[in-house]
Amino acid sequence: MGLFGKKRGDEPGYEDKEALSGFGGYQPSDSPGYEPVAPELAPAPERVEPGLAEPAKQPMSRSGRRAMYGFFATLGVIAVATLVNNGSDRSSSSSPPTSRAPVVYTPSPRVVAPPVTDGWQSVAGADGQVAYDVPPNWTPKPGTIHGWEKTPLVPGIRMFSSAFVGDDYCPGVRGSRIGGSGLTTVKVADAPGAANKALYDLSVSAYNPDEGPLSAKIVADPPQTTEFTLGTGKKVPANILIAEVTLGYTGTCVPKRALVGVQAVDMGDASAALLVYSDQDQQGGADREQILKILKTYRGVPEADRKTITPPPSTLR
Protein backbone atom coordinates (compact mmCIF):
# COMPACT_ATOMS: atom_id res chain seq x y z
CA MET A 1 0.00 0.00 0.00
CA GLY A 2 1.20 3.47 -0.71
CA LEU A 3 1.08 6.22 1.84
CA PHE A 4 -2.27 7.93 1.55
CA GLY A 5 -2.30 11.55 2.61
CA LYS A 6 -4.69 14.24 3.66
CA LYS A 7 -3.19 17.68 3.14
CA ARG A 8 -3.67 19.74 6.24
CA GLY A 9 -2.70 23.18 4.97
CA ASP A 10 -0.12 25.40 3.35
CA GLU A 11 2.64 27.43 4.92
CA PRO A 12 3.70 30.28 2.63
CA GLY A 13 7.21 31.43 3.34
CA TYR A 14 8.32 28.26 5.10
CA GLU A 15 12.12 28.35 5.24
CA ASP A 16 12.88 24.81 6.42
CA LYS A 17 14.60 25.86 9.64
CA GLU A 18 13.24 22.98 11.69
CA ALA A 19 16.06 21.22 13.45
CA LEU A 20 17.85 21.10 16.73
CA SER A 21 19.68 23.99 18.24
CA GLY A 22 22.77 24.10 16.09
CA PHE A 23 20.77 22.66 13.20
CA GLY A 24 18.45 25.63 12.81
CA GLY A 25 16.65 26.08 16.13
CA TYR A 26 13.61 23.79 15.76
CA GLN A 27 11.88 22.78 18.96
CA PRO A 28 9.74 19.65 18.44
CA SER A 29 6.24 19.07 19.70
CA ASP A 30 5.79 16.54 22.47
CA SER A 31 5.24 12.93 21.49
CA PRO A 32 4.78 11.06 24.77
CA GLY A 33 3.88 7.47 25.26
CA TYR A 34 6.25 5.72 22.87
CA GLU A 35 7.24 2.14 23.42
CA PRO A 36 10.81 1.04 22.70
CA VAL A 37 11.46 -1.56 20.01
CA ALA A 38 15.20 -2.20 20.24
CA PRO A 39 16.30 -5.21 22.30
CA GLU A 40 17.93 -3.41 25.18
CA LEU A 41 14.97 -1.08 25.78
CA ALA A 42 11.96 -3.32 25.20
CA PRO A 43 9.70 -3.90 28.21
CA ALA A 44 9.45 -7.60 29.00
CA PRO A 45 5.63 -8.01 29.10
CA GLU A 46 5.11 -6.91 25.47
CA ARG A 47 7.66 -8.89 23.46
CA VAL A 48 6.63 -10.28 20.08
CA GLU A 49 10.09 -11.29 18.91
CA PRO A 50 13.24 -11.63 21.00
CA GLY A 51 13.74 -8.14 22.39
CA LEU A 52 10.87 -6.42 20.54
CA ALA A 53 7.73 -4.78 21.86
CA GLU A 54 4.37 -5.15 20.15
CA PRO A 55 1.98 -2.16 20.02
CA ALA A 56 -1.04 -2.60 22.25
CA LYS A 57 -4.03 -3.97 20.34
CA GLN A 58 -6.72 -1.43 21.02
CA PRO A 59 -9.16 0.47 18.80
CA MET A 60 -8.22 3.87 17.51
CA SER A 61 -10.42 6.75 16.40
CA ARG A 62 -8.17 8.12 13.69
CA SER A 63 -7.48 7.94 10.00
CA GLY A 64 -4.56 5.50 10.27
CA ARG A 65 -2.38 5.32 7.19
CA ARG A 66 -4.53 7.87 5.43
CA ALA A 67 -3.77 10.48 8.08
CA MET A 68 -0.55 11.63 6.45
CA TYR A 69 -0.45 15.37 5.97
CA GLY A 70 1.78 17.68 4.00
CA PHE A 71 2.60 21.37 4.05
CA PHE A 72 3.81 22.61 0.68
CA ALA A 73 5.52 25.98 0.85
CA THR A 74 5.57 26.27 -2.91
CA LEU A 75 1.77 26.40 -2.91
CA GLY A 76 1.78 29.69 -1.04
CA VAL A 77 0.69 31.36 -4.26
CA ILE A 78 -2.84 30.05 -3.57
CA ALA A 79 -3.01 32.03 -0.35
CA VAL A 80 -1.66 35.10 -2.15
CA ALA A 81 -4.32 34.78 -4.84
CA THR A 82 -7.04 34.44 -2.21
CA LEU A 83 -5.91 37.63 -0.50
CA VAL A 84 -5.86 39.45 -3.82
CA ASN A 85 -9.39 38.29 -4.66
CA ASN A 86 -10.85 38.99 -1.21
CA GLY A 87 -9.22 42.38 -0.95
CA SER A 88 -10.25 43.69 -4.34
CA ASP A 89 -13.04 46.28 -4.67
CA ARG A 90 -16.37 44.85 -5.70
CA SER A 91 -17.75 46.56 -8.75
CA SER A 92 -21.45 47.36 -8.99
CA SER A 93 -23.73 45.24 -11.15
CA SER A 94 -23.74 48.02 -13.74
CA SER A 95 -19.97 48.13 -14.00
CA PRO A 96 -18.30 46.17 -16.79
CA PRO A 97 -16.11 43.27 -15.67
CA THR A 98 -12.45 44.10 -15.32
CA SER A 99 -9.55 41.76 -15.92
CA ARG A 100 -7.12 41.10 -13.06
CA ALA A 101 -3.40 41.13 -13.54
CA PRO A 102 -1.64 37.77 -13.07
CA VAL A 103 -0.26 37.11 -9.59
CA VAL A 104 3.45 36.34 -9.59
CA TYR A 105 4.76 34.31 -6.68
CA THR A 106 8.50 34.29 -5.98
CA PRO A 107 9.65 31.44 -3.72
CA SER A 108 12.02 32.20 -0.89
CA PRO A 109 15.72 31.45 -1.44
CA ARG A 110 16.85 28.09 -0.14
CA VAL A 111 20.19 26.48 0.53
CA VAL A 112 21.29 23.42 -1.41
CA ALA A 113 24.22 21.06 -0.94
CA PRO A 114 26.03 18.75 -3.36
CA PRO A 115 25.31 15.00 -3.17
CA VAL A 116 28.04 12.67 -1.93
CA THR A 117 26.70 9.63 -3.81
CA ASP A 118 27.35 9.40 -7.54
CA GLY A 119 24.13 9.64 -9.53
CA TRP A 120 21.97 10.43 -6.50
CA GLN A 121 20.23 13.66 -5.45
CA SER A 122 20.83 15.70 -2.34
CA VAL A 123 18.11 16.87 0.05
CA ALA A 124 19.29 19.72 2.28
CA GLY A 125 17.72 20.88 5.52
CA ALA A 126 18.20 23.36 8.37
CA ASP A 127 19.51 26.13 6.11
CA GLY A 128 21.84 23.66 4.42
CA GLN A 129 23.59 22.66 7.63
CA VAL A 130 22.61 19.01 7.10
CA ALA A 131 21.77 16.90 4.06
CA TYR A 132 21.15 13.37 2.85
CA ASP A 133 21.02 11.73 -0.58
CA VAL A 134 18.24 9.80 -2.30
CA PRO A 135 18.30 7.59 -5.43
CA PRO A 136 17.54 9.08 -8.87
CA ASN A 137 13.98 7.67 -8.95
CA TRP A 138 13.07 9.61 -5.79
CA THR A 139 11.65 13.14 -5.84
CA PRO A 140 13.30 15.57 -3.39
CA LYS A 141 10.86 18.05 -1.84
CA PRO A 142 13.02 19.94 0.67
CA GLY A 143 10.30 22.52 1.38
CA THR A 144 7.67 19.94 2.31
CA ILE A 145 6.70 18.93 5.84
CA HIS A 146 4.86 15.62 6.08
CA GLY A 147 3.91 13.03 8.63
CA TRP A 148 1.04 11.45 10.55
CA GLU A 149 -1.26 13.05 13.05
CA LYS A 150 -0.85 12.52 16.77
CA THR A 151 -3.91 11.14 18.57
CA PRO A 152 -4.53 9.86 22.10
CA LEU A 153 -3.66 6.37 20.84
CA VAL A 154 -0.77 6.92 18.43
CA PRO A 155 2.27 9.20 18.78
CA GLY A 156 2.29 10.66 15.27
CA ILE A 157 5.39 12.11 13.66
CA ARG A 158 6.33 15.24 11.71
CA MET A 159 9.19 15.31 9.21
CA PHE A 160 10.71 18.10 7.15
CA SER A 161 13.21 18.26 4.25
CA SER A 162 11.27 15.46 2.61
CA ALA A 163 11.70 13.19 -0.40
CA PHE A 164 9.30 10.64 -1.90
CA VAL A 165 9.25 7.62 -4.22
CA GLY A 166 6.35 6.19 -6.22
CA ASP A 167 4.02 9.19 -6.16
CA ASP A 168 0.42 8.26 -7.10
CA TYR A 169 1.46 4.69 -7.88
CA CYS A 170 -1.90 3.26 -6.82
CA PRO A 171 -4.49 3.75 -9.60
CA GLY A 172 -7.29 6.03 -8.54
CA VAL A 173 -5.75 6.83 -5.15
CA ARG A 174 -4.50 10.38 -5.19
CA GLY A 175 -1.55 10.99 -2.89
CA SER A 176 -0.51 7.34 -2.69
CA ARG A 177 3.22 6.81 -2.29
CA ILE A 178 5.47 3.79 -2.07
CA GLY A 179 7.80 5.45 0.39
CA GLY A 180 9.48 8.57 1.61
CA SER A 181 12.02 10.16 3.91
CA GLY A 182 12.50 13.20 6.09
CA LEU A 183 14.28 14.78 9.02
CA THR A 184 12.84 15.16 12.49
CA THR A 185 13.86 16.03 16.05
CA VAL A 186 13.41 13.57 18.92
CA LYS A 187 13.21 14.62 22.57
CA VAL A 188 15.49 11.80 23.69
CA ALA A 189 19.05 12.68 24.66
CA ASP A 190 20.84 9.50 23.55
CA ALA A 191 21.04 8.24 19.97
CA PRO A 192 19.91 4.62 20.60
CA GLY A 193 16.82 5.73 22.52
CA ALA A 194 16.02 8.38 19.92
CA ALA A 195 16.30 5.83 17.09
CA ASN A 196 13.89 3.55 18.97
CA LYS A 197 11.35 6.30 19.50
CA ALA A 198 11.46 7.69 15.96
CA LEU A 199 11.17 4.24 14.40
CA TYR A 200 8.26 3.26 16.66
CA ASP A 201 6.44 6.57 16.14
CA LEU A 202 6.52 6.26 12.35
CA SER A 203 5.82 2.53 12.16
CA VAL A 204 2.79 2.64 14.46
CA SER A 205 1.39 5.86 13.01
CA ALA A 206 1.80 4.91 9.33
CA TYR A 207 1.17 1.18 9.14
CA ASN A 208 -2.05 0.55 11.01
CA PRO A 209 -5.59 0.54 9.58
CA ASP A 210 -7.90 3.52 9.76
CA GLU A 211 -10.36 1.79 12.05
CA GLY A 212 -7.77 -0.02 14.21
CA PRO A 213 -6.69 -2.07 16.02
CA LEU A 214 -2.98 -1.34 16.25
CA SER A 215 -2.02 -4.64 14.71
CA ALA A 216 1.26 -3.89 12.88
CA LYS A 217 4.10 -6.15 14.00
CA ILE A 218 7.51 -4.42 14.29
CA VAL A 219 10.68 -6.52 14.21
CA ALA A 220 13.93 -4.56 14.47
CA ASP A 221 17.37 -5.57 13.24
CA PRO A 222 20.28 -5.29 15.69
CA PRO A 223 21.14 -1.58 16.12
CA GLN A 224 24.27 -0.22 14.47
CA THR A 225 26.51 2.24 16.27
CA THR A 226 28.03 4.87 14.01
CA GLU A 227 29.21 8.49 13.96
CA PHE A 228 27.70 11.57 12.37
CA THR A 229 30.07 14.13 10.86
CA LEU A 230 29.10 17.75 11.47
CA GLY A 231 29.86 20.46 8.94
CA THR A 232 32.82 21.49 11.08
CA GLY A 233 34.30 18.01 10.76
CA LYS A 234 33.53 17.11 14.37
CA LYS A 235 32.05 13.64 14.88
CA VAL A 236 29.21 12.91 17.30
CA PRO A 237 27.63 9.57 18.32
CA ALA A 238 24.83 8.21 16.13
CA ASN A 239 22.75 5.06 15.90
CA ILE A 240 21.13 3.29 12.93
CA LEU A 241 18.08 1.07 13.33
CA ILE A 242 16.06 -0.73 10.63
CA ALA A 243 12.84 -2.66 11.23
CA GLU A 244 10.47 -4.76 9.18
CA VAL A 245 6.80 -3.96 9.70
CA THR A 246 4.23 -6.65 8.93
CA LEU A 247 0.78 -5.19 8.44
CA GLY A 248 -2.12 -6.84 10.20
CA TYR A 249 -4.83 -5.99 7.68
CA THR A 250 -5.54 -6.06 3.94
CA GLY A 251 -7.06 -3.64 1.47
CA THR A 252 -6.60 -1.86 -1.83
CA CYS A 253 -2.90 -1.26 -2.41
CA VAL A 254 -2.09 -2.33 1.17
CA PRO A 255 1.34 -4.01 1.33
CA LYS A 256 2.07 -7.08 3.37
CA ARG A 257 5.40 -5.68 4.52
CA ALA A 258 7.25 -2.39 4.84
CA LEU A 259 10.70 -1.35 6.00
CA VAL A 260 11.47 1.63 8.22
CA GLY A 261 14.97 2.90 8.93
CA VAL A 262 16.37 5.70 11.07
CA GLN A 263 19.70 7.27 11.86
CA ALA A 264 19.55 9.27 15.10
CA VAL A 265 22.29 11.70 16.09
CA ASP A 266 23.10 12.58 19.70
CA MET A 267 22.94 16.38 20.00
CA GLY A 268 22.93 16.73 23.78
CA ASP A 269 19.48 17.44 25.20
CA ALA A 270 17.74 15.88 22.19
CA SER A 271 18.57 14.05 18.97
CA ALA A 272 18.30 14.78 15.26
CA ALA A 273 17.12 11.96 13.01
CA LEU A 274 16.69 10.94 9.38
CA LEU A 275 13.85 8.50 8.68
CA VAL A 276 13.34 6.39 5.54
CA TYR A 277 10.34 4.13 4.91
CA SER A 278 9.17 2.04 1.96
CA ASP A 279 6.55 -0.56 1.08
CA GLN A 280 8.13 -3.86 0.06
CA ASP A 281 5.46 -5.20 -2.30
CA GLN A 282 5.95 -2.62 -5.06
CA GLN A 283 8.65 -2.23 -7.67
CA GLY A 284 10.66 0.97 -7.36
CA GLY A 285 10.68 1.09 -3.58
CA ALA A 286 13.75 0.89 -1.38
CA ASP A 287 14.93 -2.46 -0.02
CA ARG A 288 16.93 -2.93 3.17
CA GLU A 289 20.28 -2.34 1.43
CA GLN A 290 19.11 0.88 -0.22
CA ILE A 291 17.51 2.22 2.96
CA LEU A 292 20.78 1.65 4.81
CA LYS A 293 22.67 3.41 2.01
CA ILE A 294 20.37 6.44 2.24
CA LEU A 295 20.74 6.58 6.02
CA LYS A 296 24.53 6.53 5.77
CA THR A 297 24.51 9.64 3.57
CA TYR A 298 23.07 11.73 6.42
CA ARG A 299 25.73 14.33 7.18
CA GLY A 300 26.61 17.84 8.19
CA VAL A 301 27.45 20.15 5.29
CA PRO A 302 30.58 22.35 5.44
CA GLU A 303 29.74 26.01 4.99
CA ALA A 304 31.89 26.15 1.85
CA ASP A 305 29.66 23.51 0.21
CA ARG A 306 26.38 25.34 0.82
CA LYS A 307 24.88 27.28 -2.06
CA THR A 308 21.86 29.59 -1.93
CA ILE A 309 19.47 29.46 -4.86
CA THR A 310 16.15 31.14 -5.60
CA PRO A 311 13.66 28.93 -7.43
CA PRO A 312 12.07 30.61 -10.49
CA PRO A 313 8.85 32.55 -9.92
CA SER A 314 5.51 31.09 -10.88
CA THR A 315 2.45 32.89 -12.23
CA LEU A 316 -1.19 32.38 -11.26
CA ARG A 317 -3.69 33.80 -13.73
Side-chain angles (χ1 to χ4, degrees):
M1 174 178 174
L3 301 171
F4 305 146
K6 289 183 180 178
K7 187 171 67 174
R8 287 279 299 275
D10 304 323
E11 291 187 354
Y14 169 66
E15 298 181 359
D16 196 11
K17 291 182 178 179
E18 304 195 24
L20 288 171
S21 176
F23 276 3
Y26 169 62
Q27 295 300 324
S29 59
D30 291 336
S31 182
Y34 81 97
E35 299 179 27
V37 297
E40 66 275 14
L41 296 179
E46 301 185 67
R47 303 168 95 88
V48 297
E49 291 290 331
L52 298 172
E54 179 183 13
K57 289 182 170 59
Q58 50 187 316
M60 58 179 183
S61 56
R62 63 184 305 269
S63 296
R65 284 170 57 80
R66 291 181 176 81
M68 189 172 77
Y69 56 83
F71 299 100
F72 301 92
T74 55
L75 296 181
V77 61
I78 296 175
V80 174
T82 302
L83 289 174
V84 170
N85 292 334
N86 291 343
S88 60
D89 293 333
R90 295 186 178 183
S91 57
S92 65
S93 57
S94 60
S95 302
T98 58
S99 60
R100 294 188 178 93
V103 177
V104 178
Y105 168 69
T106 302
S108 300
R110 60 183 178 89
V111 181
V112 298
V116 296
T117 310
D118 289 342
W120 284 27
Q121 310 164 85
S122 177
V123 185
D127 288 336
Q129 296 178 69
V130 294
Y132 66 96
D133 294 348
V134 293
N137 64 320
W138 287 55
T139 302
K141 294 187 178 180
T144 296
I145 305 171
H146 81 286
W148 286 265
E149 295 173 315
K150 175 184 175 181
T151 76
L153 294 176
V154 297
I157 193 166
R158 187 170 184 256
M159 293 174 281
F160 58 98
S161 299
S162 307
F164 302 102
V165 63
D167 283 341
D168 296 320
Y169 85 95
C170 186
V173 181
R174 185 179 178 182
S176 61
R177 294 182 174 120
I178 295 175
S181 58
L183 306 179
T184 194
T185 306
V186 188
K187 283 188 172 181
V188 177
D190 65 285
N196 265 308
K197 176 170 168 54
L199 187 144
Y200 178 86
D201 286 357
L202 192 153
S203 300
V204 172
S205 301
Y207 293 110
N208 279 288
D210 295 354
E211 68 281 1
L214 303 186
S215 55
K217 180 180 178 182
I218 308 167
V219 180
D221 295 347
Q224 302 180 35
T225 301
T226 185
E227 290 183 322
F228 179 90
T229 303
L230 299 170
T232 59
K234 179 183 177 180
K235 295 183 183 297
V236 295
N239 191 265
I240 291 176
L241 190 62
I242 296 176
E244 180 177 291
V245 182
T246 304
L247 280 72
Y249 72 110
T250 60
T252 304
C253 299
V254 175
K256 295 178 180 178
R257 297 183 305 114
L259 288 174
V260 177
V262 58
Q263 182 183 167
V265 182
D266 187 346
M267 296 298 294
D269 293 337
S271 300
L274 165 65
L275 285 147
V276 184
Y277 54 93
S278 179
D279 294 354
Q280 295 301 292
D281 298 345
Q282 299 295 327
Q283 292 184 350
D287 59 16
R288 184 178 264 94
E289 181 180 355
Q290 194 170 70
I291 287 177
L292 180 60
K293 188 174 180 179
I294 294 171
L295 293 173
K296 287 185 174 181
T297 67
Y298 188 30
R299 63 197 181 275
V301 180
E303 188 172 357
D305 291 343
R306 303 170 200 166
K307 180 181 178 181
T308 301
I309 66 169
T310 301
S314 57
T315 301
L316 181 68
R317 297 183 181 276

